[in-house]
Amino acid sequence: MDLENVKAQMRKGVLEFCILSLLSKGDAYATDLLNKLKESELIVVEGTLYPLLTRQKNAGLLSYRWEESTQGPPRKYYALTEKGREVLKELQASWKGLIDSVASLVNQ
Amino acid sequence: MKKTLTINLANQVFHIDEDAFHRLREYLDRIEGHFADTNERSDIVSDIEMRISELFNQRITQQKQVIVIQDVEEIIRTMGDPAEIGGEEQAETKDYTRVSKTKRLYRDPDNRVLGGVCGGIGQYFKIDPLIVRIIFLVVFFGFGIGLLIYIILWIVVPEARTTAQKLEMRGDPVNASNIGNFVKDEFENVKRNFQGKKKSQG
């Protein structure tokens, strides 16, 4: 068993869920998301975020718009789409179920 | 004293040392190469370039106006190696390679006398097509059925037309880097043939 791969797979699923959750609280540009994810140590290298954002955008979960910034070039702001909200709701439900079942299993 | 270059990174202008430029160029090329087979590449690369330009901006001051190699090294560490960035999709990529790694029998249009059947069989078993041809001829004259077998194979076995099919014929995995190598080989071949022709004419 490749432990690193298992960990990476685990983190990936959770990371996608976290990105959607963060965006449900308000639109954000990639660096905002990065800072929050790094604070909670969910992301090790920054580059990981961009393929995920692009894939979620291509899957229709996110949309983006350009917004002028006072400190530098325009920024790409991401927002949840209607579909993104539905997916997030489903993920939240399955996340809660997962925590409960794992907790009861591990603590048996 | 060092020579610097001026670059445009995500619509921002930066002065960058020559060695730092080459390091950055190489890094971005590797990222681009890593996502070469997906349609997400241009989005991902431009997002990453945008982030790097943001990080560059944080490192520019009135006293330090040039991006040096240490800046680039540190930023590459922050952004991560292409393998780490794409590391999340490892499992899927592995599956993909396994599926298309199957070896198949094709007729080889680049190595043919009649229909390329012997060339293809030679590729499949990794033996010289000449030996396959001799066996076919022996079977033809010795038993009289070689020609029939040949014609059936000619009809049944598909010709390797696309690059992916040619790679399958050779038993090479079909992925971006192999297709790249294959195209490069073909190009070299054409160039050699062309030069050969020019020489024989002149």
Side-chain angles (χ1 to χ4, degrees):
Chain A
M1 192 176 78
D2 183 355
L3 185 62
E4 280 313 305
N5 198 22
V6 173
K7 280 191 202 166
Q9 291 295 325
M10 257 190 194
R11 223 177 8 234
K12 185 202 169 194
V14 175
L15 204 53
E16 296 207 26
F17 174 46
C18 289
I19 293 171
L20 294 178
S21 304
L22 283 175
L23 285 173
S24 74
K25 290 172 196 147
D27 303 353
Y29 93 116
T31 307
D32 292 338
L33 295 173
L34 262 182
N35 291 337
K36 283 181 186 143
L37 291 170
K38 273 168 88 179
E39 255 170 51
S40 40
E41 290 180 3
L42 271 162
I43 269 192
V44 187
V45 290
E46 294 194 357
T48 324
L49 179 68
Y50 300 98
L52 292 178
L53 283 177
T54 300
R55 273 167 213 156
Q56 291 188 334
K57 184 202 79 192
N58 288 350
L61 308 185
L62 309 181
S63 62
Y64 71 83
R65 61 172 191 279
W66 291 98
E67 221 166 80
E68 295 296 328
S69 150
T70 46
Q71 318 140 293
R75 292 167 171 181
K76 206 174 179 179
Y77 269 79
Y78 286 93
L80 270 191
T81 60
E82 210 37 57
K83 193 177 167 197
R85 266 174 226 290
E86 279 164 34
V87 170
L88 177 62
K89 242 180 245 163
E90 259 177 59
L91 285 179
Q92 275 165 341
S94 76
W95 175 248
K96 282 197 187 99
L98 201 64
I99 292 183
D100 292 346
S101 12
V102 172
S104 70
L105 197 78
V106 172
N107 297 333
Q108 247 173 24
Chain B
M1 189 180 77
K2 260 181 156 176
K3 193 179 165 193
T4 68
L5 298 162
T6 312
I7 58 165
N8 167 352
L9 189 68
N11 292 325
Q12 301 284 297
V13 178
F14 295 101
H15 296 292
I16 183 168
D17 275 344
E18 210 174 0
D19 50 354
F21 168 78
H22 287 298
R23 184 81 184 87
L24 182 65
R25 177 78 272 163
E26 183 254 349
Y27 176 68
L28 289 173
D29 282 347
R30 269 197 298 140
I31 290 196
E32 214 164 324
H34 191 75
F35 294 103
D37 50 345
T38 65
N39 52 5
E40 306 140 344
R41 180 179 59 171
S42 63
D43 274 343
I44 295 172
V45 172
S46 77
D47 280 359
I48 287 179
E49 284 186 356
M50 216 153 63
R51 176 62 179 156
I52 294 178
S53 96
E54 200 177 52
L55 292 169
F56 275 177
N57 265 326
Q58 291 170 6
R59 286 161 183 269
I60 297 285
T61 59
Q62 202 54 39
Q63 283 74 38
K64 178 180 168 299
Q65 301 182 346
V66 178
I67 298 293
V68 298
I69 185 106
Q70 284 83 0
D71 295 324
V72 175
E73 294 287 357
E74 274 169 44
I75 283 167
I76 289 176
R77 262 199 301 281
T78 322
M79 296 303 289
D81 202 66
E84 289 176 271
I85 295 176
E88 325 292 38
E89 47 173 346
Q90 244 174 15
E92 293 156 42
T93 329
K94 264 186 217 152
D95 280 343
Y96 171 73
T97 324
R98 209 184 305 131
V99 169
S100 51
K101 207 184 169 175
T102 46
K103 197 171 178 177
R104 292 196 58 190
L105 180 61
Y106 283 103
R107 288 185 288 117
D108 186 354
D110 303 326
N111 194 348
R112 69 201 293 172
V113 175
L114 279 173
V117 172
C118 294
I121 292 175
Q123 280 285 3
Y124 191 82
F125 293 108
K126 294 272 173 245
I127 49 175
D128 192 333
L130 186 66
I131 296 172
V132 185
R133 288 192 185 109
I134 291 170
I135 294 172
F136 260 98
L137 283 177
V138 168
V139 175
F140 176 50
F141 287 113
F143 306 95
I145 51 167
L147 188 65
L148 189 66
I149 294 174
Y150 189 92
I151 290 171
I152 291 172
L153 284 175
W154 195 346
I155 296 166
V156 171
V157 178
E159 187 180 10
R161 287 210 180 88
T162 66
T163 302
Q165 286 172 335
K166 284 180 185 177
L167 285 171
E168 270 184 349
M169 177 176 74
R170 293 191 196 171
D172 290 338
V174 181
N175 57 32
S177 77
N178 263 339
I179 290 178
N181 286 340
F182 190 88
V183 171
K184 214 163 66 192
D185 285 354
E186 290 279 276
F187 180 71
E188 291 293 319
N189 272 338
V190 170
K191 214 163 72 179
R192 222 174 297 128
N193 284 344
F194 184 69
Q195 281 165 348
K197 263 184 203 142
K198 255 198 338 207
K199 235 172 253 165
S200 66
Q201 277 170 357

